[in-house]
Each structure stands twice: as C-alpha cells, then as structure tokens.
Amino acid sequence: MLVHIHPKYIHLKKELAKIPNGDYECLHTFCNNRNIVEQIKVADCNFVLKRYKVPNFANRIIYTFFRRSKARRAYDNALKILRFGVSTPFPVAYIETKQKGLFHTGYFISEYMGYDTLSKYKDIELTEAENDKFKEDFLNFTIELHEKSILPLDYNSGNIFCYKEEKNGRYKFALTDINRATFGDFPRYKPMLSFAQMGLPPKELVTVMTEYSSRRKLDLDVSLFLVLYYRIRHKVRAFLKKKIKRFFSVFK
C-alpha cells in the first residue's frame, strides 16, 4: 500500500493509513455510485474522502506500470491548480492499494470546503441584477481558467463550488473532481468542451458564447458549432455505452 501525505498533514500519517480498512468516522455521504465521496473526520479534522471504483483488469495493469492513478492525478492536479491561484480543496493525501501485485483501489483525501456546488446554488432565486452579477463572475472565472491554460474535462455544475464574498459581494468559484484536468497549451477552441458540459439552454448559451468569444477574440460561429458538436458527441457516446451495457447484460 502506498500512502502519500502532504507535509502539512504528515502528523496524521497513522490515522490516514487506516482509511482503506474503513477505520474513520463518516459524517456525510455525498455520492455512492461508481465512486464513493464522503465527508469524514480524522483526528478532529474535516476532510473529504473519494474512493474510486476498482478499475477493470486492463486498467489495473496500466495504473500499476504505465500511468498515474486517478487518486494521484487528483492530488497532483490540486497542487498545480493552487499554484495558479485558482481555488480547489487543498490536497491532504492519496492512497493506493494493491492486490496480487496490481493496483486495486485509489483514495484521494482533501480538505472540506463546506460550499454548495453550482448545481445546488442555481436553485436559489436571485434578483435579475444579482443573477447578472452571478453569470458575469462565473464567466470571468471560466476565462481565467482558460487563460491560465487550465482545462477541466469534467466542467459541470456538480464539480464547481460556489460562494459569495461578504466584503465585495462577488461570487467566487472552486474546482473539484479534477483528476482529468489538463494543463499547458491547447488548441484555441478546445475550451468549447467546457461550455458543452455546462448544459446551458440555447438562448443562454448564445449569450455566454457571444461574450466569451468577443473577449477571447474567437469566431462566434466556430465557437457555437464546436459546443454543439461536443454536446452531440457526448450524447451519442452515452447512448451507445448504454446500449452496449444492455446488450452484454443479457449474457450474464
């Protein structure tokens, strides 16, 4: 078992190493689907624990010999994002367990932020002026990410924390679920992936893309075309994946 802990929390090494055995206090379960995400308590510290689903045999080999696990990528990416001055839960540790010499399960532990995700925040009724401010601040945040060469590949309302600063009344955002984020130079129109994942209604999408394209000096027609292309591609892939799963379930 590999236990990698940030120096800030090295004093909790013994406690954190017990997590794969289930030796921790669970305060709340956020998600229990493919992956399990929980708010936990370790030595009076509130953390968030993400336990990734055990990968298939081929990926177990890949994560053992050729590629970093999702847990390690989440930890490394969090440190990178923080160095860019972008908010994300502080990475506490990542743990990797093995079975018969191959990677088995990955765990990523981060600090607990306590903010609502964008999906929950959107349910709050805002005045028209406040809603305009909210949209402006979120667009500014998205542009900041792209201009800093950060491209989250899971950029949806469930993976973005949101809160309002009391001092200036501006809305602030923080990224989570960042193991698939990419960094560095990417094609100018690649960020359209971000907008494709937001699920904006058509009218709002055109408004946002008009402002984004203007500020980043992009062709609006190309931007809109690519957003729609990525949306359709995602729906087709999801449809085919569902059909394939249903087909093979017949043989179980």
Side-chain angles (χ1 to χ4, degrees):
M1 181 173 72
L2 170 65
V3 182
H4 182 92
I5 302 172
H6 191 278
K8 179 180 176 181
Y9 289 102
I10 197 65
H11 62 286
L12 297 179
K13 183 175 182 178
K14 288 184 179 180
E15 291 85 351
L16 292 170
K18 297 177 182 178
I19 283 177
N21 298 325
D23 189 5
Y24 60 86
E25 181 182 355
C26 177
L27 302 178
H28 179 69
T29 300
F30 298 107
C31 174
N32 189 1
N33 296 318
R34 183 178 59 177
N35 305 312
I36 299 175
V37 183
E38 301 170 311
Q39 179 187 353
I40 67 173
K41 195 170 185 178
V42 177
D44 294 326
C45 294
N46 278 324
F47 295 142
V48 171
L49 167 66
K50 184 168 186 177
R51 184 174 74 197
Y52 293 91
K53 178 185 176 182
V54 178
N56 59 39
F57 182 73
N59 282 331
R60 289 181 62 193
I61 295 175
I62 290 171
Y63 289 147
T64 302
F65 301 107
F66 304 108
R67 193 181 183 194
R68 294 175 300 159
S69 69
K70 291 182 178 180
R72 180 174 177 179
R73 277 181 278 151
Y75 179 92
D76 292 342
N77 288 351
L79 291 176
K80 286 183 182 179
I81 287 171
L82 289 171
R83 284 197 292 270
F84 277 108
V86 176
S87 183
T88 190
F90 189 88
V92 175
Y94 70 87
I95 301 172
E96 298 175 351
T97 64
K98 288 186 176 183
Q99 192 175 91
K100 296 181 180 180
L102 294 179
F103 176 89
H104 188 266
T105 308
Y107 303 80
F108 172 58
I109 304 99
S110 63
E111 291 182 353
Y112 173 68
M113 294 193 83
Y115 302 125
D116 283 332
T117 60
L118 202 57
S119 56
K120 294 182 179 179
Y121 209 90
K122 286 164 66 175
D123 295 333
I124 301 174
E125 292 188 12
L126 301 174
T127 63
E128 184 176 349
E130 196 69 14
N131 191 46
D132 288 342
K133 185 192 298 183
F134 177 86
K135 291 178 180 178
E136 179 186 355
D137 289 341
F138 182 64
L139 180 59
N140 289 337
F141 174 72
T142 303
I143 290 175
E144 177 190 6
L145 291 177
H146 297 162
E147 289 184 342
K148 290 182 175 180
S149 298
I150 302 172
L151 184 61
L153 296 180
D154 292 300
Y155 201 62
N156 58 66
S157 58
N159 292 333
I160 304 168
F161 291 123
C162 178
Y163 59 98
K164 187 177 181 180
E165 285 191 332
E166 294 183 2
K167 292 182 180 179
N168 54 25
R170 306 307 300 189
Y171 291 93
K172 294 293 183 180
F173 304 90
L175 295 175
T176 184
D177 200 4
I178 53 174
N179 64 282
R180 294 181 66 235
T182 62
F183 304 86
D185 295 333
F186 42 75
R188 294 183 67 211
Y189 288 91
K190 192 70 173 180
M192 298 309 109
L193 271 170
S194 298
F195 294 98
Q197 295 173 338
M198 290 179 192
L200 297 173
K203 186 176 179 180
E204 188 174 340
L205 176 63
V206 172
T207 301
V208 171
M209 292 313 305
T210 300
E211 178 66 18
Y212 179 90
S213 298
S214 174
R215 290 175 58 178
R216 299 213 68 205
K217 296 180 172 56
L218 301 176
D219 185 285
L220 177 59
D221 290 339
V222 175
S223 298
L224 286 171
F225 171 81
L226 287 173
V227 171
L228 294 176
Y229 165 75
Y230 287 133
R231 271 192 179 185
I232 294 171
R233 187 181 70 173
H234 174 74
K235 289 182 179 180
V236 170
R237 285 178 173 177
F239 173 79
L240 292 176
K241 187 176 181 180
K242 185 177 180 180
K243 287 291 184 181
I244 291 171
K245 280 187 175 180
R246 185 177 299 176
F247 174 78
F248 282 105
S249 67
V250 175
F251 300 96
K252 290 183 178 180

